[in-house]
Amino acid sequence: MIIDFHTHVDEAPAFGWIDPPDKIVALLDEAGIDLAVAMTYTDLPGLNPDALDYILDAVARFPDRLVAFVRLNPNYRAEAAAFLDEAVERGARGLKLHPTTTLAHPAEEPTVALLRRCGEIGIPVLFHCGDDPYTTPQTFALAAAGAPDCLIVLGHMGGYLHVEEAIAVAEMHDNLFLETSAMPYPSLIRVAVDRIGADRVLFGSDGPGCNPALELAKVRQAGLSADDEVLVLGANAARLLRLSR
Amino acid sequence: MIVDALVVAGPNRFRPSSELRDIVAAAAAAGVEGLVVTPGRPLAYHLGPANDHLADAAGAASFPIARLGRVDPLCGADAAAEAQRCLGDLGCTGLFLHPGEEAFPIRQAAPVMEVAADRGVPVVVAAGLYALSEPLQVMELAAAYPSVPVVMTSGGQINISGLGMLDAWLALQHAPNLYVMTNGEYRQDFIERLARDLDATRVLYASFSPYFDLQYERSRVANARLDPAARSLVEGGNACRMFHLQPTSSIKH
C-alpha cells in the first residue's frame, strides 16, 4: 500500500489556491497511490473559519483515499487546543503545523503544549521543515526534546539547504521522522534511510502543487532495498496513522 | 533535441568533481542530446585554468556541447578580460556567474555584464541565493542591461516555503530579457504556469548538476504538463537558440 503523507485540499482564494479534493485524488490515481494524508492550506483559527469542516467533508467524500490532518495556529492556545480535540473526535488522525504561516516557533510553549497533547492522545504531527527561521531542523530538535512522546514528522526533510541538518537531528531524537516531499535530492533519501533507519522515513508529495507521480519517482530513484521501500512508501505511514487495513 | 541547459563540470571545490565525459554518459543515459556546460570552481582560486580545462574536455567530446565561461566580477578588469578570452579564444557562447561561490552580490556584476552587452551573449546567474541573487536583485541587473539575456537558475528561488516564487514571477514579468531554468523548482504547477502564462521561449530545462540530480531534473520536466510546442522550446529549443548549440556536432574552439 502506497501512502502519501503530505497533500493538500482547500479552496483559499486569498492564497490563489483552489484545490478541491477531486484534484488530488485524480493525481493519486495517476500516480498509483492508494491513500493520502490531506490538510488545508489555511490554519485554524484563521482565514477560513470553516477549514475543519472543509477537510473533514473532503475526507468524507473520499473515505478510502484521504485521511484528515487538522491544521492549527498554536498561538491561539486554548482555541487551538479546543480545535485539536474536536478534530480528533470527528476523525482527524494528525496535526499539521506550518510555522511560516503561523509564526508560532516550534520550541516555544504554545506549540510544545500542542505537541504534548498530541503525544498524549497518540497522533502524529507533520511540520513544514525547510529553509526559513522557525522551520529549521534545529528548531524541531528543541521541540522534540520538549515533547518526547510526540511523533514529529519533518515535511520536506529540510528543504533545499537543511537536509543534512534534518538527518542529523533525527539521529539525535527518536521521535523525529523525515518526510520526502519537494526536497530535490533523491540520493539523500537513501542517506537518511542509512543513517536513521527506514522505519523513520516517509514518502510525501506536497501535492497537488508538487506532482505525486514525480515525487514517487524520486523515492524509487533513491535506490532503497525492496523492504526499505515498502516501509518508506507506506508501511511507516500506516503505523503512524494506526490504520488497521 | 533535448538539451540540459546547465551542468557544471571539472574540479569543484563545493561539490563532487565530475569530468565532462562522465557527465555526457549520464546525460545520454537520461535521454539528453545536448549540454550547456560551465566549469566548477577549482580547488585553486583561479577560474581561467578551469575554463581552459573545460574547453579541452569539450573539444574531445563527440557530443553536442556549448560552453559558458565562468568569471568572477570581483576581479574587475581581469574579469572583463577573462570574459573576453572565453568568448573569443575559447569559443564560449555565454557566461556564468555564481554569486554564492564567488561571494559577490549580483549588483557587482557590471564588469562582466558590460562584456556580455558588447558581445551580445547571454549570462546565466546562479539565482535564488539570499542577499546575493534574489530574483528581484537579478531583475534589477537584467533591467540595467536590457540587451543581455539573463538566465536565472533554480526557478529563480531556492526556498522550500515558496516564499521567493512570487518575486521570481514578478521579476520575469518586469524584465523581458530575463529567463529562467527549471532545476530544483519543486512546484510543477509553477513550471507549467511559466510556460503557459509567461512565455515558453523564456523557460529552459536544466539540471544544474551536480548541485541538483541530473536524472531527477530530467524527470521533473518530462513529467510537467506542457503542450508540444512549449515542450519543444523548454526541453531544448530555447537552449539551442540562446547558446548556438548545433544538433549534430560539438562546438570546437
Side-chain angles (χ1 to χ4, degrees):
Chain A
M1 181 183 220
I2 299 177
I3 301 175
D4 183 338
F5 206 77
H6 188 165
T7 71
H8 292 277
V9 297
D10 207 344
E11 295 174 53
F15 293 158
W17 286 322
I18 307 297
D19 293 331
D22 319 68
K23 190 171 178 177
I24 191 64
V25 169
L27 291 170
L28 298 176
D29 288 342
E30 186 179 284
I33 295 169
D34 300 292
L35 187 72
V37 171
M39 61 214 72
T40 55
Y41 296 117
T42 47
D43 306 298
L44 278 170
L47 197 62
N48 177 11
D50 299 323
L52 181 57
D53 288 338
Y54 185 91
I55 190 66
L56 295 173
D57 288 348
V59 169
R61 283 185 58 201
F62 298 98
D64 297 328
R65 307 303 302 281
L66 301 177
V67 170
F69 273 27
V70 63
R71 182 161 163 164
L72 298 177
N73 184 339
N75 284 328
Y76 283 86
R77 295 173 185 252
E79 284 179 86
F83 268 123
L84 176 64
D85 288 344
E86 179 188 350
V88 171
E89 189 173 321
R90 294 174 62 187
R93 289 178 179 263
L95 170 64
K96 166 67 183 292
L97 296 175
H98 199 313
T100 306
T101 62
T102 63
L103 295 179
H105 194 285
E108 289 204 313
E109 191 275 336
T111 298
V112 173
L114 272 184
L115 299 180
R116 287 175 178 154
R117 177 65 181 149
C118 289
E120 289 168 6
I121 57 182
I123 62 169
V125 179
L126 173 63
F127 270 104
H128 171 94
C129 170
D131 302 316
D132 302 308
Y134 287 55
T135 72
T136 60
Q138 289 84 355
T139 66
F140 299 115
L142 296 172
D149 295 330
C150 180
L151 304 182
I152 298 172
V153 181
L154 304 186
H156 318 306
M157 54 187 288
Y160 289 101
L161 306 174
H162 293 85
V163 181
E164 174 59 35
E165 287 90 338
I167 296 170
V169 299
E171 284 182 307
M172 293 187 287
H173 298 277
D174 291 343
N175 57 327
L176 288 179
F177 296 68
L178 302 179
E179 176 266 291
T180 61
S181 68
M183 183 279 297
Y185 318 112
S187 62
L188 293 185
I189 296 171
R190 170 73 177 272
V191 172
V193 165
D194 288 345
R195 286 175 50 184
I196 68 169
D199 59 342
R200 286 200 286 140
V201 181
L202 293 86
F203 160 62
S205 76
D206 203 7
C210 301
N211 188 294
L214 180 68
E215 294 291 330
L216 185 56
K218 178 174 69 186
V219 176
R220 287 180 164 146
Q221 190 188 320
L224 305 180
S225 71
D227 288 346
D228 287 350
E229 192 171 285
V230 166
L231 290 169
V232 172
L233 290 183
N236 293 335
R239 187 176 76 248
L240 265 63
L241 297 170
R242 298 185 177 183
L243 298 181
S244 55
R245 51 187 164 171
Chain B
M1 180 180 183
I2 296 173
V3 177
D4 185 335
L6 185 63
V7 298
V8 178
N12 193 325
R13 176 182 285 270
F14 299 100
R15 288 291 189 278
S17 300
S18 300
E19 286 303 323
L20 183 59
R21 62 177 177 276
D22 298 324
I23 295 172
V24 166
V32 173
E33 300 163 299
L35 291 171
V36 180
V37 190
T38 197
R41 176 169 165 175
L43 295 179
Y45 175 79
H46 299 292
L47 295 173
N51 289 318
D52 289 334
H53 179 79
L54 178 58
D56 290 340
S62 55
F63 195 79
I65 292 171
R67 282 173 291 112
L68 308 178
R70 179 166 177 164
V71 290
D72 178 356
L74 295 184
C75 294
D78 288 345
E82 178 63 11
Q84 292 282 13
R85 189 179 78 90
C86 289
L87 298 170
D89 298 347
L90 299 186
C92 295
T93 54
L95 298 169
F96 176 72
L97 301 174
H98 199 312
E101 295 185 352
E102 269 73 77
F104 64 93
I106 197 61
R107 64 179 176 276
Q108 295 187 350
V112 178
M113 296 302 291
E114 297 288 348
V115 174
D118 179 57
R119 300 293 293 250
V121 300
V123 176
V124 177
V125 176
L129 305 174
Y130 174 70
L132 299 176
S133 59
E134 299 162 9
L136 295 179
Q137 292 177 307
V138 183
M139 178 196 74
E140 290 180 339
L141 181 79
Y145 296 91
S147 69
V148 178
V150 176
V151 188
M152 298 188 291
T153 67
S154 313
Q157 66 104 43
I158 300 175
N159 182 292
I160 211 73
S161 299
L163 291 179
M165 214 169 293
L166 182 54
D167 281 354
W169 176 258
L170 293 172
L172 289 158
Q173 284 197 313
H174 283 82
N177 57 319
L178 193 56
Y179 297 72
V180 64
M181 290 175 164
T182 58
N183 67 278
E185 176 46 69
Y186 71 93
R187 288 277 297 276
Q188 179 173 304
D189 57 352
F190 188 64
I191 293 173
E192 293 164 355
R193 183 184 178 205
L194 288 167
R196 183 186 63 242
D197 298 340
L198 179 75
D199 184 351
T201 67
R202 294 168 62 191
V203 184
L204 292 84
Y205 148 58
S207 71
F208 201 3
S209 168
Y211 301 83
F212 294 83
D213 185 275
L214 189 147
Q215 180 184 341
Y216 185 60
E217 294 305 324
R218 174 74 194 103
S219 300
R220 186 190 301 285
V221 174
N223 196 64
R225 291 172 174 79
L226 305 174
D227 68 48
R231 179 171 298 284
S232 177
L233 290 166
V234 171
E235 290 191 334
N238 294 331
C240 287
R241 182 186 73 251
M242 186 172 286
F243 302 110
H244 304 288
L245 186 60
Q246 301 301 318
T248 54
S249 64
S250 58
I251 295 175
K252 307 292 186 183
H253 66 278

